[in-house]
Amino acid sequence: SATEASSRLGPYQEDSRAQAQEVATILQELTRDKAVFTERDIDAYLKEYVPPDQQNQIKTELFRQAVHLVAEELPGKRTLARFTTREVLAEEEQAQTAAATLRSQPAKRLDPAAIEAAIAKRTMRPDQLDAFRRGLQANGIGVVQGRAGTGKSYMMSAWMEAHRDSGHRVIGLAPTNIVAQAMIADGFTEGKTVDSILYAAKKGLLDWDANTVLILDEAGMVSNDRMKTLLELAAERGANILMVGD
């Protein structure tokens, strides 16, 4: 919220040390919920929190400290400049390391009858059925990306049933409680938010093991730092994770 952001930024300071700290804080804010930001994001943030006569100075320093990514190509031969931070790149590298560890784990053993039963209970299009089977064959980690409204949740419930009826513990994960509760409504026995899982891990209360299968909905909404930690926890405990998102 604006109040929380203002609290983190504190009163505006003009000396160089305070300015450097403020720029670092702004970069953290810009990447709090997404890995990449644009000049428009910078302008909106500065307009909200930085005095007008200091905005250009801070913006110049933000551009200097940010990591400049390859521009996104837009229609009409236009491009959109994109930026991130060194911290975000480090988190992504750590997440990739955890993902590589997960990929070295075998897929969970499934009962062929459970697979066929999950298919028989629903009518899946060829693309849904292909995604369903690919997810079951994934070693340690699997990702399905699709546009909104393409039936990802429908297919995801089939993943859950195939693993559950093969004797595995299946946990539905989501970035928000609304989505987690929707997973329970779709038949998941357990539906939890990513934040609740990270909190449980921090308190030493996480009870995952090699029989655990995690199914994460709306994966694209999970911030880099949370995703990194989630993958590391799954890899440490031998759990498999299947993810879907836009």
Side-chain angles (χ1 to χ4, degrees):
S1 68
T3 301
E4 293 172 339
S6 296
S7 175
R8 286 189 287 269
L9 283 170
Y12 186 78
Q13 301 292 331
E14 294 191 22
D15 64 89
S16 59
R17 181 178 299 180
Q19 179 178 302
Q21 178 60 44
E22 182 164 20
V23 167
T25 301
I26 292 172
L27 289 172
Q28 290 176 353
E29 291 296 319
L30 289 170
T31 55
R32 178 172 296 276
D33 296 313
K34 56 184 180 180
V36 175
F37 57 92
T38 67
E39 185 173 2
R40 178 178 293 183
D41 296 322
I42 294 174
D43 290 341
Y45 204 89
L46 295 180
K47 182 179 180 180
E48 183 75 19
Y49 301 112
V50 176
D53 62 333
Q54 300 295 333
Q55 290 177 11
N56 287 339
Q57 182 181 358
I58 293 292
K59 185 174 180 178
T60 298
E61 185 62 19
L62 285 168
F63 281 145
R64 191 186 71 81
Q65 292 194 28
V67 176
H68 295 236
L69 302 173
V70 175
E72 180 182 353
E73 294 186 1
L74 300 175
K77 297 184 178 180
R78 296 177 298 133
T79 59
L80 177 65
R82 304 180 305 151
F83 310 92
T84 189
T85 66
R86 294 177 181 84
E87 290 75 17
V88 167
L89 293 180
E91 289 170 351
E92 290 185 347
E93 184 174 349
Q94 293 168 337
Q96 289 174 351
T97 299
T101 300
L102 285 165
R103 281 195 297 271
S104 70
Q105 300 175 1
K108 300 303 184 190
R109 298 186 64 177
L110 298 174
D111 182 349
I115 297 174
E116 293 307 313
I119 294 172
K121 285 181 61 176
R122 49 186 54 81
T123 302
M124 288 191 280
R125 300 188 311 270
D127 59 317
Q128 290 175 311
L129 186 57
D130 180 61
F132 168 75
R133 292 193 181 280
R134 287 176 182 270
L136 300 186
Q137 296 165 1
N139 288 345
I141 181 171
V143 181
V144 169
Q145 181 180 9
R147 294 188 301 274
T150 55
K152 297 186 299 295
S153 296
Y154 190 66
M155 179 274 303
M156 194 169 55
S157 65
W159 274 349
M160 178 272 294
E161 290 178 10
H163 284 92
R164 179 199 64 194
D165 295 344
S166 296
H168 299 290
R169 179 191 180 190
V170 183
I171 303 174
L173 298 178
T176 67
N177 189 56
I178 291 176
V179 178
Q181 292 303 311
M183 296 179 81
I184 292 176
D186 286 339
F188 282 76
T189 302
E190 299 181 68
K192 303 178 183 296
T193 64
V194 172
D195 281 348
S196 71
I197 291 297
L198 301 186
Y199 181 80
K202 187 176 181 179
K203 295 295 184 180
L205 301 175
L206 198 62
D207 57 352
W208 298 351
D209 58 24
N211 193 50
T212 302
V213 176
L214 312 169
I215 299 180
L216 173 62
D217 196 7
E218 300 291 357
M221 294 176 59
V222 179
S223 63
N224 268 26
D225 57 337
R226 291 176 174 84
M227 182 64 76
K228 171 189 76 71
T229 305
L230 183 64
L231 296 183
E232 288 173 343
L233 291 171
E236 289 169 4
R237 289 161 174 73
N240 281 13
I241 182 166
L242 298 172
M243 300 185 282
V244 300
D246 297 346

